């Protein structure tokens, strides 16, 4: 028998009710979209680079990830559309940055957790 599942059913009604009520006040589908966007290897590289540098033009991002400007722009636009990044235009250049400190923290925590998981694992 598997060691990682309950062998009997025992429900803590108070905890279940509280969790369900709190969850009903949230929007898990929209949160899942954030993690889905960041689950792409290229986009997490972009987000990490933006968290380090603050702001990068599309050309810089393309160079960092080893892609064309069009590919970098596609990924950056997706991050922007999900509210994870913002942009500004300066002449013919477009500069992107993470939308706010929350996004920067999310990226930093994910990379920190990954390092710690490797040490433990």
């Amino acid at each position: 028998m598997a060691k990682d599942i309950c062998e009997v059913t025992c429900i803590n009604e108070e905890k279940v009710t509280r969790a369900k009520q709190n969850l009903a006040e949230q929007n898990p589908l929209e949160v899942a979209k954030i993690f889905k966007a960041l689950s792409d290897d290229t986009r997490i590289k972009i987000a990490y680079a933006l968290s380090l540098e603050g702001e990068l033009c599309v050309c810089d991002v393309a160079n960092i990830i080893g892609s064309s400007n069009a590919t970098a722009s596609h990924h950056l636009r997706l991050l922007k559309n999900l509210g994870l990044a913002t942009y500004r235009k300066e002449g013919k250049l477009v500069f992107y940055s993470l939308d706010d400190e929350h996004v920067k923290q999310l990226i930093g925590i994910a990379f920190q957790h990954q390092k710690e998981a490797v040490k433990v694992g």
Side-chain angles (χ1 to χ4, degrees):
M1 184 159 230
K3 294 181 181 180
D4 61 349
I5 62 170
C6 293
E7 294 180 27
V8 296
T9 300
C10 176
I11 299 170
N12 184 322
E13 291 292 337
E14 185 179 321
K15 288 182 178 182
V16 169
T17 300
R18 187 171 48 244
K20 283 183 174 182
Q21 287 172 343
N22 285 321
L23 193 54
E25 297 170 5
Q26 303 301 321
N27 193 338
L29 181 59
E30 292 304 311
V31 174
K33 287 179 184 179
I34 292 169
F35 285 102
K36 184 176 180 181
L38 295 174
S39 71
D40 179 86
D41 181 52
T42 300
R43 286 191 289 275
I44 196 67
K45 287 177 186 176
I46 292 170
Y48 184 69
L50 291 172
S51 76
L52 294 175
E53 297 301 325
E55 183 179 71
L56 292 165
C57 81
V58 174
C59 305
D60 291 333
V61 171
N63 193 274
I64 290 167
I65 63 172
S67 76
S68 67
N69 286 357
T71 297
S73 186
H74 166 78
H75 287 292
L76 286 160
R77 195 167 29 264
L78 194 145
L79 292 172
K80 179 187 74 68
N81 289 342
L82 287 170
L84 298 174
T86 187
Y87 77 98
R88 69 179 180 86
K89 196 163 183 170
E90 189 175 297
K92 294 185 179 188
L93 299 175
V94 178
F95 292 88
Y96 278 85
S97 59
L98 295 178
D99 186 58
D100 61 24
E101 190 61 29
H102 295 114
V103 179
K104 185 176 180 180
Q105 290 175 6
L106 181 64
I107 303 304
I109 289 168
F111 275 86
Q112 181 181 352
H113 176 74
Q114 186 275 327
K115 283 183 181 178
E116 291 171 0
V118 169
K119 288 179 186 177
V120 174

